[in-house]
């Protein structure tokens, strides 16, 4: 074997730098070919045009509608499921929101609902949470949105009940069986990757538009947190404790009921919390398929650009979300304290008994008397809030339009328009090859193959250009999300004080349903795709900030101290040590930012974002465009799967030790 005379060998180029060079080469080649082939083979489709796939979807919808009462699959399966869910939802609605036959008002009026809410909050949490719950629900009535709020609550409770009945047992099974856990994890990953709106179109195909489809969509979206968190709770019980119980002769059932469930109770309750929050978010979105409640009010207000009404209803959603979140969080804390009774615990039993009697009296009064059943007043507080929101909107448009329009125009002209033009005016095969090549370089062969399949299916949907328009908005929004996430996340990761100040606000922001984010930006920027992008940025930023902060905080203190001792300044410490060593967290933050931004696509379609979001909304509202809306939902799923696989694979690559294969 020949050896170089110098006795040295060239230093290999790091793999990361080679990837960057390949990515740069792909982009340069793309730009050159774009300049030569611009405007050719773009697969453009007019808003009113349909492809053969869209017409086939319409035909399938018509066929299913015609055979719904004769096809055995519908007669004995889908219709039965719909009947059971409808019966449950109708029952809960007749209790608190909709009058049953023979009564002008629901079975339990506002006084009974407020009293029961306060009592349950006190029993599960403490008196402070009870006061918050009573005040919050009373405020819903003062807004003039009592019935809408109770409709939302009824659908949420119905979906949560079914989701927990299925999710907690499945989570327990997955926690006790590694085999089951391996089987359900990919399904849960897929369910949580899909944007929320994608559930709606296919469900209406089988369950029709209405509360049943809305409830089923909600429970499908809300069940994964219950399953995943319950399984995690069961698996987190120390193995030594389980072994000790089994050595004392406990059966599998006794170990579950006496050891595993009691020791994982707090985590399971937190899973219930996440399920409720997910259900509330989805119930408001399901207004697109005629689900009653606050979401319907928000959708109608957004479509008519009525900022005041949208703000009032959006505030009601936030209030309900805060109440439900605080109650379930307090329940988790109390479940941890049940084994440590304090000196005042002996009074709690009698007080709870007296409270139960008072709540029962309130329920009877609200069932019997109109004054206790129908919320008094005519919603003056709500009208005042809506008027104030309209006034602020007018003031902002008159005095801040120069600033807001300037920001919008700069970002649109310098960033969004050029990138969208590159994606939509390139030949479809060129853009597709670029996406596949970038997927292979960043995520590996598997990610490249996934990208190739997704690109082929996107072409098949007939909505290639709309998909590329959505891709442009998503990419720009994700870039802004990461800039904001890295800036704030690094600050939080380096400062415990900053983390304590900022994190509660991020937690509160994640509680709010997506619709709520549109309202203030609709007031500032008007109805445009930029409004949807800004709302998506604000919606997705909290999760990226948390992930980046945790990644920066996870860098070993000894490494930071060594860099500081070597004379590194703050900027060098961040850019040369902490960010490079938390690269895996950055890629994961990008992944989650993409998924969250993509989940706002259809919401943005309500305020002029166009593209796939508009196609989905139009499909729900115009029967002849149903097939196109269904194809648009499929296209959103394909974009989500492609982005998720590429970024997940890239995160896996960056977490490996450098130099190993």
């Amino acid at each position: 074997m020949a050896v170089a005379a110098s006795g040295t060998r060239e230093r290999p180029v790091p793999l990361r730098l080679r990837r960057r060079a390949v990515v740069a080469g792909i982009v340069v080649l793309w730009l050159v070919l774009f300049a030569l082939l611009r405007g050719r083979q773009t697969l453009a489709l007019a808003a009113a045009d349909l492809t053969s796939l869209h017409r086939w979807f319409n035909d399938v919808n018509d066929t299913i509608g015609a055979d719904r009462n004769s096809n055995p699959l519908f007669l004995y399966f889908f219709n039965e499921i719909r009947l059971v869910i409808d019966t449950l939802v109708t029952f809960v609605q007749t209790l608190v929101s909709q009058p049953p036959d023979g009564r002008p008002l629901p079975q339990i009026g506002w006084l009974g609902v407020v009293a029961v809410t306060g009592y349950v909050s006190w029993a599960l949490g403490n008196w402070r949470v009870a006061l918050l719950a009573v005040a919050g629900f009373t405020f819903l009535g003062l807004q003039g949105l009592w019935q809408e709020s109770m409709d939302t609550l009824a659908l949420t409770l119905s979906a949560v009940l079914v989701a927990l009945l299925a999710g907690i047992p499945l989570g327990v099974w997955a926690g006790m069986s590694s085999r089951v856990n391996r089987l359900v994890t990919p399904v849960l990953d897929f369910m949580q990757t899909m944007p929320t709106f994608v559930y709606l179109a296919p469900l209406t195909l089988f369950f029709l538009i209405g509360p049943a489809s809305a409830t089923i969509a909600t429970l499908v979206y809300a069940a994964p947190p219950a399953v995943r968190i319950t399984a995690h709770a069961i698996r987190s019980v120390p193995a030594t404790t389980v072994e000790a119980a089994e050595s004392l002769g406990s059966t599998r059932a006794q170990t579950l009921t006496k050891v595993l469930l009691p020791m994982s109770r707090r985590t399971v309750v937190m899973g219930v919390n996440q399920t409720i929050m997910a259900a509330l978010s989805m119930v408001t979105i399901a207004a697109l398929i005629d689900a009653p409640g606050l979401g319907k009010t928000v959708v109608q207000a957004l479509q008519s650009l009525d900022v005041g009404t949208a703000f009032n209803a959006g505030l009601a959603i936030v209030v309900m979300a805060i109440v439900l979140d605080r109650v379930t969080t307090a329940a988790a804390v109390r479940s941890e304290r049940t084994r440590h009774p304090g000196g005042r615990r002996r009074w709690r039993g009698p007080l709870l008994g007296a409270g139960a009697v008072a709540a029962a009296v309130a329920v009877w009064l609200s069932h019997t008397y109109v004054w206790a059943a129908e919320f008094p007043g005519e919603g003056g507080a709500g009208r005042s809030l809506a008027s104030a929101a309209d006034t602020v909107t007018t003031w902002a448009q008159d005095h801040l339009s120069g600033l807001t329009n300037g920001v919008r125009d700069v970002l649109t002209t310098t960033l969004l328009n050029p990138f969208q033009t590159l994606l939509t005016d390139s030949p479809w095969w060129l853009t597709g090859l670029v996406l596949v090549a970038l997927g292979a370089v960043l995520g590996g062969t598997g990610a490249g193959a996934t990208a190739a399949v997704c690109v082929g299916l996107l072409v098949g949907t007939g909505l290639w250009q709309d998909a590329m328009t959505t891709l442009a908005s998503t990419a720009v929004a994700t870039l802004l999300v990461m800039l904001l996430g890295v800036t704030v996340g690094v600050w939080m990761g380096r400062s415990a004080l900053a983390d304590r100040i900022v994190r509660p606000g991020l937690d509160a922001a994640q509680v709010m349903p997506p619709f709520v984010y549109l309202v203030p930006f609709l007031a500032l920027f008007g109805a445009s795709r930029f409004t949807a992008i800004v709302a998506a940025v604000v919606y997705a930023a909290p999760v990226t900030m948390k992930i980046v902060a945790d990644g920066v905080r996870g860098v070993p203190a000894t490494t930071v101290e060594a860099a500081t001792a070597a004379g590194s300044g703050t900027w060098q410490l961040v850019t040369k040590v902490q960010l490079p060593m938390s690269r895996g967290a950055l890629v994961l933050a990008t992944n989650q930012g993409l998924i969250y931004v993509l989940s706002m696509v259809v919401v943005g379609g309500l305020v002029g974002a166009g593209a796939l979001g508009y196609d989905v909304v139009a499909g729900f509202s115009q029967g002849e465009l149903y097939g196109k809306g269904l194809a648009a939902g499929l296209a959103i799923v394909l974009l989500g799967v492609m982005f998720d696989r590429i970024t997940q694979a890239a995160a896996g690559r960056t977490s490996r030790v450098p130099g190993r294969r």
Side-chain angles (χ1 to χ4, degrees):
M1 181 182 293
V3 180
S6 62
T8 61
R9 64 176 63 172
E10 293 184 5
R11 190 174 185 179
V13 178
L15 182 60
R16 178 164 49 89
L17 294 180
R18 281 185 283 168
R19 285 189 193 136
R20 289 180 180 176
V22 173
V23 169
I26 292 172
V27 172
V28 170
L29 180 61
W30 184 15
L31 292 173
V32 171
L33 292 176
F34 167 75
L36 297 174
L37 303 172
R38 180 175 182 178
R40 303 178 188 177
Q41 298 175 316
T42 59
L43 302 182
L45 185 71
D49 290 346
L50 301 177
T51 67
S52 57
L53 177 66
H54 306 159
R55 285 188 285 270
W56 182 77
F57 280 150
N58 284 339
D59 292 340
V60 169
N61 186 37
D62 294 339
T63 302
I64 289 176
D67 297 342
R68 189 176 301 278
N69 296 321
S70 58
N71 189 305
L73 184 62
F74 282 89
L75 282 176
Y76 303 111
F77 185 69
F78 291 118
N79 288 356
E80 291 299 316
I81 294 176
R82 183 172 182 271
L83 177 62
V84 171
I85 298 297
D86 253 340
T87 302
L88 174 62
V89 173
T90 302
F91 171 73
V92 179
Q93 283 184 310
T94 56
L95 286 180
V96 297
S97 64
Q98 298 290 341
D101 293 337
R103 279 183 61 88
L105 294 167
Q107 298 286 0
I108 304 176
W110 74 270
L111 184 63
V113 171
V114 171
V116 170
T117 301
Y119 175 73
V120 171
S121 302
W122 178 33
L124 296 178
N126 53 58
W127 64 270
R128 296 182 185 86
V129 176
L131 285 179
L132 173 66
V134 169
F137 271 59
T138 303
F139 181 68
L140 298 176
L142 294 175
Q143 287 181 277
L145 296 171
W146 180 259
Q147 182 171 332
E148 292 86 345
S149 301
M150 292 304 100
D151 279 326
T152 297
L153 182 64
L155 263 64
T156 301
L157 293 180
S158 301
V160 168
L161 176 62
V162 179
L164 294 180
L165 286 175
I168 290 182
L170 182 58
V172 170
W173 192 15
M176 298 182 67
S177 170
S178 298
R179 186 176 183 181
V180 174
N181 190 58
R182 287 194 300 270
L183 289 174
V184 301
T185 296
V187 178
L188 298 178
D189 289 341
F190 180 72
M191 290 169 68
Q192 291 189 300
T193 298
M194 286 198 301
T196 53
F197 294 97
V198 176
Y199 296 107
L200 301 182
L203 286 175
T204 60
L205 191 64
F206 297 104
F207 300 106
L208 299 178
I209 288 177
S213 290
T215 305
I216 294 170
T218 301
L219 70 89
V220 170
Y221 180 66
V227 178
R228 196 184 292 274
I229 295 175
T230 301
H232 171 72
I234 297 295
R235 289 179 171 275
S236 298
V237 175
T240 53
T241 304
V242 177
E243 292 169 0
E246 292 174 346
S247 66
L248 293 174
S250 294
T251 64
R252 189 176 179 87
Q254 289 173 326
T255 301
L256 174 63
T257 57
K258 303 294 185 182
V259 178
L260 293 174
L261 287 179
M263 294 191 68
S264 59
R265 181 164 47 194
R266 177 172 183 174
T267 305
V268 171
V269 176
M270 290 307 298
V272 174
N273 169 276
Q274 292 301 301
T275 301
I276 292 174
M277 291 299 100
L280 180 60
S281 175
M282 189 64 187
V283 161
T284 57
I285 292 170
L288 289 171
I289 56 173
D290 204 31
L294 295 169
K296 193 170 187 177
T297 303
V298 175
V299 169
Q300 292 172 346
L302 290 176
Q303 289 176 333
S304 61
L305 302 183
D306 185 352
V307 176
T309 301
F311 174 80
N312 189 40
L315 181 60
I317 295 173
V318 172
V319 169
M320 183 173 291
I322 291 173
V323 169
L324 295 177
D325 178 61
R326 291 299 92 197
V327 171
T328 49
T329 301
V333 174
R334 174 160 291 280
S335 70
E336 189 74 10
R337 297 176 179 172
T338 52
R339 296 184 181 182
H340 307 283
R344 291 179 292 178
R345 184 173 175 79
R346 59 183 178 180
W347 298 105
R348 184 169 174 81
L351 288 175
L352 285 176
V357 172
V361 170
V363 169
W364 178 79
L365 290 173
S366 69
H367 179 79
T368 308
Y369 297 101
V370 174
W371 63 266
E374 188 173 11
F375 200 93
E378 299 179 355
R383 288 196 301 274
S384 298
L385 286 169
S387 177
D390 287 332
T391 300
V392 171
T393 298
T394 302
W395 181 89
Q397 291 172 346
D398 291 342
H399 295 82
L400 301 179
S401 59
L403 175 62
T404 57
N405 291 344
V407 172
R408 180 190 64 195
D409 293 343
V410 168
L411 286 176
T412 300
T413 304
T414 61
L415 193 60
L416 181 57
N417 285 347
F419 188 46
Q420 180 174 316
T421 300
L422 178 63
L423 285 169
T424 57
D425 286 4
S426 293
W428 69 267
W429 53 265
L430 174 60
T431 305
L433 286 175
V434 169
L435 292 174
V436 173
L438 291 177
V441 172
L442 297 175
T445 306
T450 301
V453 172
C454 291
V455 165
L457 293 176
L458 280 171
V459 173
T461 63
L463 297 171
W464 175 260
Q465 195 165 72
D466 282 355
M468 292 303 100
T469 301
T470 296
L471 173 57
S473 299
T474 302
V476 169
T478 304
L479 174 62
L480 297 175
V481 165
M482 289 308 300
L483 289 175
L484 190 59
V486 169
T487 302
V488 179
V490 168
W491 180 43
M492 292 171 61
R494 289 174 51 83
S495 170
L497 177 61
D499 189 84
R500 286 196 300 271
I501 293 173
V502 176
R503 192 171 289 267
L506 301 183
D507 293 338
Q510 287 189 282
V511 169
M512 292 192 294
F515 275 154
V516 177
Y517 291 92
L518 286 177
V519 178
F521 300 113
L522 179 65
L524 287 174
F525 300 105
S528 68
R529 56 182 175 163
F530 185 75
T531 300
I533 289 176
V534 176
V537 169
V538 177
Y539 178 61
V543 67
T544 62
M545 293 175 186
K546 287 183 178 181
I547 294 173
V548 172
D550 292 341
V552 171
R553 194 178 299 109
V555 175
T558 53
T559 304
V560 177
E561 292 169 0
T564 304
S568 296
T570 300
W571 177 254
Q572 292 173 316
L573 191 63
V574 171
T575 57
K576 304 296 185 183
V577 178
Q578 291 175 312
L579 285 180
M581 292 192 68
S582 57
R583 191 180 301 118
L586 293 177
V587 179
L588 178 60
T590 304
N591 169 274
Q592 291 300 296
L594 275 168
I595 298 303
Y596 272 67
V597 167
L598 200 57
S599 70
M600 286 286 284
V601 164
V602 181
V603 179
L606 296 171
V607 291
L612 295 178
Y614 172 79
D615 293 333
V616 173
V617 174
F620 288 135
S621 58
Q622 304 176 43
E624 67 276 9
L625 296 179
Y626 177 85
K628 193 172 186 178
L630 194 59
L634 175 61
I636 295 171
V637 172
L638 293 171
L639 288 176
V641 170
M642 181 169 63
F643 288 145
D644 180 65
R645 290 304 95 193
I646 292 174
T647 50
Q648 290 275 20
R653 280 188 164 193
T654 57
S655 63
R656 297 173 190 163
V657 179
R660 292 187 183 178
R661 296 287 180 111

